Amino acid sequence: MRWALVKVALAVTVMVVVAFAVPLGLVIKEMARDRAFTNAERQAAAIGPTLSITTDRDQLERAVASTQAGAAGRMAVHIPGPGEGGEAVTIGTGRAAAKDLATVQRVPRASTTEVSGGFALLQPTAISTGRIAIVEVYVPEGEVTNGIATAWLVLAGVGAALVVGSVAVADRLGVRMVQPAQRLARAAHELGEGKLGARVPEDGPTELKSAAVAFNSMADQVVQLLANERELAADLSHRLRTPLTVLRLNAASLGDGPAADQTRAAVEQLEREVDVIIRTAREAKPQTQPTGPGAGCDASEVVRERMDFWSALAEDEGRKVRVAGVDRPVRIPVARPELVAALDALLGNVFRHTPEGTAFSVDLHNGDDAVIILVSDAGPGIADPEAALARGNSGGRDGSTGLGLDIVRRVAESTGGDVRIGHSVLGGTEVRIWIGLGDGRADAPARRGHRVVRRRRTSAGRAPR
């Protein structure tokens, strides 16, 4: 496309230059010729008054010598002889042929004729005897073509500059059009090859810029769809741990016997299958799409609803439960299913990784720019809080996929908040979820990303959740 534009610009410009320069050059040539012969006619007309008065040779020689052409030896006066067959008199240097002079005398009309080295202007003039004298003015070739070469050179230079300029402009325009198209094609090939990070700079002509914007939007949607699909597979599988925990606890209370053993074995096999599904899907990229405007839920209502569910299990295991800060509505920019999944992940960890009878609490704090959810327990704590927040880090334990705290972290970071792990007042672990109340953009709060608070403990730590 680039070279096609250059060729079109070159052809059009050359045609325009030829169409204007050639006629203009011919006009300049005619103007130079007319200027030379007009000057010759003026020189010839200067002798007319003298010829009309006298035909004396001496007086005519002085008159011819007084003119510019006569002084330069380029003027002659041809005076016919008296009567028929009389001898003609020529004053000055004549160059015209006799037949040309005879033609002008026969038909008294000014004319030009070619002579050696140029042209001769033959101007008929009536004299006192009633005969026709001819004033001859020699016009050198140099005067006829004076300035023509310079004019052609100027026209050629202007034409060449126009051609070069048009080609340069066409080339720049071609580059401006071709490069965005090439980048778009290259990015499309990369995206087709599975390089999901391929994007196109949104510049260039309006049409190509719109195409780049549409391509980038499509690529973002493809990446988001793939990430959401894999995250959904992992998260849904992880959410199965809540009913699995209930089944495992109920199976543990069945006592001994073949049916009880088979039930416990089936629950363990189901947990292993869920672990396989989660580990298969956990290569997905974390979701980066912020929560849309208007999306959200009442955190107090969700905490109350989930604590009603987990309190029944806590009562069976003899755990003390405390809930605070849920007496009034607290709106947060998190979808209800996401907050439910995050709370279930934290509370499930409490039941899974602390001994029976371990107390825990859930506190909800509503601030001006953030909402904080604290999940605390009186268990042995977490040995490596940093590793616990890393996605997919299970600590090598059976029954753990390492996705629980990652789900919590992604929920917090989707609002610009973070997750902190520290030492609770109950003596165990405290997980603090900081949920921003801004617009959910990645650059809204300065708390983007998780931060881990470590405190020295004397008791043995537990594995990452």
Side-chain angles (χ1 to χ4, degrees), residues 125-192:
T125 303
I127 58 179
S128 59
T129 60
R131 307 294 297 275
I132 300 297
I134 299 175
V135 180
E136 176 186 342
V137 180
Y138 172 66
V139 181
E141 182 71 25
E143 287 190 7
V144 176
T145 60
N146 184 30
I148 295 178
T150 302
W152 278 110
L153 288 175
V154 171
L155 290 176
V158 172
L162 288 175
V163 171
V164 172
S166 65
V167 169
V169 171
D171 182 67
R172 290 299 88 197
L173 291 176
V175 169
R176 188 169 179 264
M177 293 179 60
V178 170
Q179 284 186 347
Q182 290 176 341
R183 290 195 297 262
L184 185 60
R186 185 165 53 250
H189 285 299
E190 291 178 356
L191 187 64

Side-chain angles (χ1 to χ4, degrees), residues 356-378:
E356 294 186 7
T358 301
F360 68 93
S361 64
V362 177
D363 298 274
L364 183 64
H365 300 276
N366 186 15
D368 294 334
D369 60 348
V371 171
I372 300 175
I373 301 177
L374 300 177
V375 178
S376 309
D377 63 57

Side-chain angles (χ1 to χ4, degrees), residues 191-205:
L191 187 64
E193 292 172 357
K195 299 177 181 179
L196 301 182
R199 296 297 184 273
V200 183
E202 297 175 359
D203 55 12

